[in-house]
Amino acid sequence: MAKQPYQIDVTDLTSELKTNVQTGLTEEQVQERLAKDGPNALVAKKKRSLFQKFVDQFKDLMIGILLAAALVAAFTGETTDAAFILAIVIINAVFGVFQESKAEGAIEALKALATPKARVVRAGRDQEVLAPDLVVGDLVYLEAGDVVPADLRLVSVANLQVEESTLTGESVPVEKTDAVLTGDNLPLGDQANLAFMNANVTYGKATGIVIATGMQTQVGQIAESLQSTDETKSPLQENLAQLGRILTYLILAIATLTFVVGYFTQDAKVIDLILTSISLAVAAIPEGLPAIVTVTLALGTARMAKKAALVRKLPAVETLGSTDIIGSDKTGTLTQNKMTVEKLVLDGEIVDLKAENPFEADQVNPDLLKLADLLALNNDTKEIDDGLVGDPTETALIAFNKKYRPAYKDTLAQMPRVSEIPFDSERKLMTTIHPVASGFEATVKGAPDSILARVSQVLDHGEIRPVTEADLAKYQDINAQLADQALRVLAFAYKDLAAVPENPQADDVEKDLILVGLIAMIDPERPEVKGAVAEAKKAGIQPIMITGDHPKTAAAIAGRLGILTDEDDRTKAVMTGAELDEMPEEDFQDRVKDVRVYARVAPAHKVKIVQAWQGKGKVVAMTGDGVNDAPALKTADIGVAMGITGTEVSKEAADMVLADDNFSTIVAAVKEGRKVFANIQKALQYLLASNLAEVIAIFMMTLLGWEVLAPVMILWINLVTDTLPAIALGLEPAQKGVMSQKPRGKTANFLSGGVGPAIIWQGTMQAILVLAVYGIALAFPEHQGSELIHGDALTMAFMTLGLMQMFNAINVKSVYQSELGPQAFANKFFNWALVFSLFAMMAVVFIKPLNPIFHVTYLDSHQWLTVVLAAFSIIVIVELVKWVQRQFFNKG
């Protein structure tokens, strides 16, 4: 197997790349490689034109149904309705093009991250070149504050630390080395002799050889995966597509059947049978459904925006409601991405700062004051107007002082640094020297093992005494205990000096130290996340952590948040990226259900994890904030990016952005998503039950030889009922217990949960009532003459059907629960929509000039009484059926 770059010796690497660690490449070599490999820039795939995107929006069965409805409306002379339907189609197409164009911004955001310039050695001369002009083999200088311009193999390192959280998810800067690494398949976070494009240098200096540019870099591979990853269809989109196919087949079958039955059983003209079939087609098509779905989603989007959840793609609103799995990045998402001092160790005892403030004690331990001084003195942090700048570990120490001992600035003023011994990754220590009344004092901080090996005394309640073996053993045990909790531990000591050494050496200064104590830090969890995790679990959603951080750190944070519990087998519940690479696909498919924490993972691993859950039929939401999260955000059913700490790449790849970076906002969004789906179901039940009633009524009228509802009548009913009342159902409040239900998952659809049967029996019942009214009108006519009698009967059937559909809008607010009571009128917009639609429906009869347009007659009071009683009876009948379902079938 070919060696990885981190496994290759520098001498072998320079030979392979035909470069030199002193003089770099020649100009001829640079030009040849630039011509061969292209610029050090990310390349986006060729974009489709706006026209192509617009045409693609019409390649959908539901859109085809809408276009068919527009043609039918135009054929029957209803040009207004035809124009209305076409407007819906065009608006949907324009919106789709807009969303698709926004999604393409992910690659552009990645390109924008490129470093503008880099310092290189070429032909033996130091030069500053544009980052896109870098080539493989270039010798590049790095120092604190730089952004790594390409993927580098480090050949010379001086205390280099690089912050790679956007790529690896690890919040602490990584100490780099120039030594050869021997491990196989090391994750990015452990490839310590490599520096990756777009990472930030926080400390030290280094020289590196470019080993990859442009699309071959780690960031480039992410960009390529973003381009090759297909957009995942949301459950809503899949359900609408499925419904569209079903309706298409049903419409064709019903229209054909009606024509054939009428042709062989009725003495009717072919043109009349064609018009009847068209009426049936119009009746079967829910013209307003796509518009109502869009409006309902948009209303949900507006509500979520008020709760800091910004939705970039409308279907994401509903998808959240069906989520089974939330895969979350750790750093910056579940945690604060800010190292924080959490525990102190003084006099061999642990002080938990989350439980107590030792500075508020009646008698403050003098050792605590000394430790606080050392935290401030042995520190390179700079304080500016925007906050603290420096190494995250050191800024955490200053933040500790700012919170607990603001007088630390007096200490800094009284004891300025006069000399130092910089941090070294081999000694793992840093020393500073300051003046004191008796002379000078050396402060030392570093790894506990390194400090404990150099102490001869210990500070004990203000007194200095010789250190004992028991002291050292106790501190070593505490250090191990804190490390097991994934806390980063530093030890602090000091030493009195008579004078400042002219050239201080570690071997002379860093010995016979006085041990003061330990501090333990961690990137802490966000305070609101634990409750959000608990609520998600209550809702049947499994949160999992997917991070580039160390397994021990990840497991500790997951345990604190409740993602990992005491019941979980840690050997099964925690998996590393290396283990994932070694595991066969089939074995991982079996194991994925047990894993709660993935550590030391690369971007490709995150995508693999998402796809594994999707392969089990689960709806997966993925949260994240870094460049490394972008492919998984795009692959997931719904990608959720952080708005404050998130990179532009992650935001552009996501479906939703959290404006407050608050994990609990996701749970609120899930609740909103479930409400949106329930409201779409209500609107769908309302529309399809109404359309089914129209189809059955027209079909039976044809068989009975009665006058058939004209297309203009059907279009008017659909126009009146498919607008305000249906839209108002999208504003219904969430039903009780919505977050105690299990996710419906991908297998559920709009007809699940009893909606399908309710559509059938309620639509059938409405048709029976309409036919009954027609029959009553024939049996008890108010006028003489067949034409007038049938005209009245048709008008009464038309009005009964229209009014009944609006009354049924109250019924569909719940499939099984009663709507008798104040809850039926909690939605004020619905109440006014119902009143307006009822008047609009009756206006075509009361306003006599409209009578001939809609083929209706003017009804008297007795006929209106029959119509209203029949229409209102649907509420009584549905309430009785619901009562039976609850009492005898345990429904609802």
Side-chain angles (χ1 to χ4, degrees):
M1 184 177 70
K3 286 186 176 181
Q4 298 295 318
Y6 60 81
Q7 296 174 315
I8 302 176
D9 182 83
V10 172
T11 304
D12 294 336
L13 182 66
T14 54
S15 175
E16 181 182 326
L17 298 180
K18 296 181 175 58
T19 188
N20 188 293
V21 293
Q22 275 80 42
T23 61
L25 299 171
T26 66
E27 287 299 331
E28 292 77 15
Q29 286 178 304
V30 171
Q31 294 306 318
E32 287 175 7
R33 297 181 187 195
L34 200 56
K36 176 175 173 283
D37 299 330
N40 176 36
L42 303 180
V43 181
K45 65 182 179 181
K46 186 178 179 182
K47 296 180 180 179
R48 292 179 299 151
S49 67
L50 281 176
F51 179 74
Q52 287 174 314
K53 294 175 187 175
F54 186 75
V55 170
D56 286 346
Q57 303 303 315
F58 294 89
K59 297 175 182 178
D60 181 87
L61 272 175
M62 184 58 81
I63 297 299
I65 290 175
L66 280 175
L67 290 173
L71 288 173
V72 168
F75 183 79
T76 56
E78 297 299 317
T79 53
T80 301
D81 295 301
F84 175 74
I85 296 167
L86 282 174
I88 292 172
V89 173
I90 292 170
I91 290 170
N92 282 342
V94 170
F95 185 82
V97 171
F98 174 75
Q99 292 296 332
E100 187 175 339
S101 299
K102 285 287 290 180
E104 289 177 348
I107 301 302
E108 297 303 320
L110 268 171
K111 291 172 71 176
L113 286 175
T115 311
K117 292 183 180 180
R119 288 171 299 131
V120 301
V121 178
R122 286 179 177 172
R125 301 194 323 272
D126 291 355
Q127 300 180 36
E128 190 172 64
V129 301
L130 293 174
D133 293 337
L134 286 178
V135 297
V136 172
D138 258 328
L139 191 65
V140 178
Y141 287 134
L142 295 176
E143 65 179 24
D146 286 346
V147 176
V148 181
D151 284 2
L152 310 177
R153 167 66 162 89
L154 301 173
V155 298
S156 174
V157 170
N159 302 322
L160 184 71
Q161 294 184 16
V162 180
E163 194 270 310
E164 301 173 334
S165 64
T166 59
L167 267 176
T168 67
E170 187 169 359
S171 55
V172 179
V174 179
E175 293 179 10
K176 294 295 183 176
T177 179
D178 53 20
V180 174
L181 303 178
T182 57
D184 291 328
N185 299 317
L186 292 180
L188 293 182
D190 290 339
Q191 296 176 19
N193 59 8
L194 302 184
F196 302 107
M197 186 178 186
N198 291 327
N200 297 297
V201 179
T202 61
Y203 193 84
K205 298 179 179 180
T207 305
I209 296 175
V210 175
I211 58 173
T213 61
M215 298 300 285
Q216 301 306 310
T217 63
Q218 291 296 324
V219 170
Q221 291 174 31
I222 292 173
E224 189 171 0
S225 69
L226 280 173
Q227 293 175 7
S228 60
T229 303
D230 294 329
E231 291 285 349
T232 306
K233 276 195 172 184
S234 73
L236 173 69
Q237 292 167 317
E238 291 177 351
N239 282 337
L240 283 176
Q242 181 186 33
L243 181 63
R245 288 191 294 271
I246 293 172
L247 287 176
T248 300
Y249 302 142
L250 283 177
I251 290 166
L252 291 173
I254 292 169
T256 303
L257 179 63
T258 303
F259 181 86
V260 171
V261 170
Y263 184 81
F264 287 105
T265 62
Q266 304 293 327
D267 183 19
K269 296 177 181 179
V270 172
I271 187 61
D272 291 336
L273 292 174
I274 290 175
L275 287 173
T276 300
S277 298
I278 289 173
S279 295
L280 269 171
V282 172
I285 297 172
E287 296 95 335
L289 180 59
I292 288 163
V293 169
T294 300
V295 170
T296 304
L297 292 174
L299 292 170
T301 298
R303 288 191 295 267
M304 290 169 73
K306 293 178 181 178
K307 299 175 183 177
L310 309 177
V311 176
R312 296 184 63 252
K313 301 172 184 176
L314 277 185
V317 182
E318 180 273 335
T319 306
L320 267 173
S322 61
T323 299
D324 298 286
I325 307 294
I326 298 179
S328 177
D329 181 46
K330 179 184 75 68
T331 306
T333 305
L334 298 173
T335 65
Q336 300 175 28
N337 198 16
K338 181 176 66 176
M339 294 299 289
T340 304
V341 177
E342 194 167 271
K343 294 181 181 180
L344 309 174
V345 180
L346 295 166
D347 310 317
E349 300 295 331
I350 298 175
V351 179
D352 188 344
L353 295 175
K354 292 193 299 182
E356 61 177 306
N357 181 352
F359 288 93
E360 293 180 345
D362 294 337
Q363 190 169 1
V364 178
N365 186 341
D367 300 358
L368 174 61
L369 300 177
K370 183 63 179 178
L371 180 62
D373 283 344
L374 297 183
L375 301 187
L377 293 168
N378 197 303
N379 205 303
D380 289 330
T381 297
K382 299 289 186 292
E383 189 169 358
I384 61 175
D385 292 340
D386 292 336
L388 302 176
V389 178
D391 178 87
T393 299
E394 293 193 331
T395 59
L397 303 180
I398 295 298
F400 168 85
N401 270 288
K402 286 174 68 70
K403 179 177 180 180
Y404 293 104
R405 194 167 182 248
Y408 77 96
K409 291 185 177 180
D410 296 336
T411 302
L412 293 177
Q414 295 164 9
M415 300 175 64
R417 186 185 303 186
V418 294
S419 188
E420 65 182 56
I421 305 175
F423 174 84
D424 182 276
S425 58
E426 291 185 9
R427 352 191 296 280
K428 297 184 178 179
L429 296 173
M430 173 179 170
T431 295
T432 61
I433 300 175
H434 309 264
V436 292
S438 58
F440 295 90
E441 180 179 285
T443 73
V444 186
K445 82 161 181 270
D449 290 343
S450 298
I451 294 277
L452 293 175
R454 291 168 169 80
V455 301
S456 60
Q457 301 177 86
V458 63
L459 189 62
D460 187 353
H461 293 91
E463 300 293 330
I464 299 173
R465 62 172 176 80
V467 72
T468 66
E469 289 297 324
D471 291 328
L472 295 176
K474 188 169 187 179
Y475 274 94
Q476 286 168 345
D477 287 344
I478 290 174
N479 178 41
Q481 176 186 336
L482 295 174
D484 285 340
Q485 298 171 29
L487 294 163
R488 189 179 192 191
V489 185
L490 289 176
F492 287 82
Y494 72 101
K495 178 183 180 177
D496 292 326
L497 298 174
V500 180
E502 186 174 336
N503 184 21
Q505 298 296 312
D507 290 342
D508 297 327
V509 177
E510 295 171 350
K511 65 179 183 179
D512 297 325
L513 304 175
I514 302 168
L515 177 64
V516 177
L518 311 179
I519 63 99
M521 295 179 289
I522 198 168
D523 177 13
E525 67 275 18
R526 292 178 175 274
E528 71 281 349
V529 170
K530 186 173 184 179
V533 168
E535 190 168 359
K537 285 188 169 184
K538 181 183 176 184
I541 301 168
Q542 178 59 61
I544 59 175
M545 180 190 290
I546 307 176
T547 179
D549 218 332
H550 292 282
K552 188 178 289 186
T553 304
I557 292 292
R560 289 162 62 147
L561 291 173
I563 294 174
L564 274 178
T565 64
D566 294 337
E567 290 74 35
D568 291 320
D569 181 348
R570 298 297 171 100
T571 60
K572 290 183 178 180
V574 181
M575 179 183 284
T576 65
E579 291 172 327
L580 184 54
D581 282 333
E582 295 170 2
M583 186 172 291
E585 187 69 32
E586 317 82 68
D587 293 349
F588 179 56
Q589 285 288 343
D590 293 335
R591 175 84 181 275
V592 70
K593 65 181 184 301
D594 299 319
V595 184
R596 299 289 177 265
V597 175
Y598 294 90
R600 276 292 189 238
V601 294
H605 293 137
K606 296 186 178 187
V607 174
K608 188 174 181 180
I609 294 161
V610 170
Q611 290 174 336
W613 277 113
Q614 288 174 330
K616 289 186 170 293
K618 301 296 184 181
V619 177
V620 183
M622 175 68 188
T623 71
D625 63 347
V627 175
N628 61 320
D629 298 316
L633 292 177
K634 191 173 181 184
T635 303
D637 296 287
I638 177 166
V640 183
M642 301 296 115
I644 299 173
T645 60
T647 61
E648 286 304 309
V649 181
S650 64
K651 294 175 190 176
E652 290 293 344
D655 302 288
M656 189 174 84
V657 178
L658 301 183
D660 59 359
D661 283 16
N662 189 332
F663 186 87
S664 63
T665 302
I666 299 174
V667 178
V670 168
K671 182 177 181 179
E672 187 63 41
R674 292 187 174 189
K675 181 173 79 173
V676 164
F677 181 84
N679 287 349
I680 291 175
Q681 271 195 315
K682 293 169 187 174
L684 186 71
Q685 180 183 341
Y686 169 58
L687 293 176
L688 293 187
S690 300
N691 289 13
L692 180 61
E694 294 166 7
V695 169
I696 294 175
I698 292 173
F699 184 72
M700 292 305 300
M701 286 175 172
T702 304
L703 287 180
L704 295 171
W706 292 350
E707 290 290 326
V708 177
L709 293 169
V712 67
M713 290 178 165
I714 298 298
L715 281 169
W716 181 250
I717 290 176
N718 289 355
L719 185 63
V720 171
T721 60
D722 289 7
T723 50
L724 291 181
I727 291 171
L729 288 170
L731 291 170
E732 283 295 302
Q735 292 181 324
K736 291 181 180 178
V738 69
M739 287 301 285
S740 61
Q741 302 166 3
K742 298 297 179 186
R744 63 182 182 276
K746 285 187 175 179
T747 56
N749 56 47
F750 288 122
L751 304 182
S752 301
V755 172
I759 289 172
I760 294 172
W761 76 259
Q762 288 178 17
T764 303
M765 181 55 63
Q766 289 181 64
I768 292 172
L769 291 169
V770 169
L771 294 171
V773 167
Y774 196 109
I776 291 171
L778 292 181
F780 305 99
E782 294 290 331
H783 300 94
Q784 299 298 316
S786 176
E787 185 175 341
L788 285 176
I789 292 173
H790 277 280
D792 285 352
L794 189 63
T795 301
M796 291 172 67
F798 166 57
M799 294 309 301
T800 301
L801 182 60
L803 299 182
M804 188 185 301
Q805 288 182 12
M806 293 173 213
F807 287 131
N808 198 51
I810 298 172
N811 294 325
V812 302
K813 292 186 177 187
S814 174
V815 177
Y816 299 114
Q817 296 301 317
S818 173
E819 288 303 321
L820 294 179
Q823 74 276 6
F825 304 100
N827 182 351
K828 292 182 179 179
F829 182 72
F830 175 83
N831 300 338
W832 285 110
L834 201 62
V835 170
F836 177 84
S837 296
L838 286 170
F839 278 111
M841 188 67 205
M842 293 187 291
V844 298
V845 173
F846 280 111
I847 302 174
K848 288 189 176 182
L850 295 178
N851 291 176
I853 297 174
F854 290 94
H855 310 292
V856 296
T857 60
Y858 195 80
L859 303 178
D860 64 19
S861 58
H862 293 94
Q863 291 170 322
W864 271 116
L865 181 62
T866 303
V867 167
V868 172
L869 289 176
F872 187 79
S873 69
I874 193 65
I875 292 180
V876 178
I877 294 169
V878 172
E879 283 293 329
L880 286 173
V881 173
K882 287 182 180 180
W883 182 85
V884 172
Q885 289 174 322
R886 293 195 302 271
Q887 297 300 316
F888 299 100
F889 300 99
N890 297 319
K891 296 293 186 181

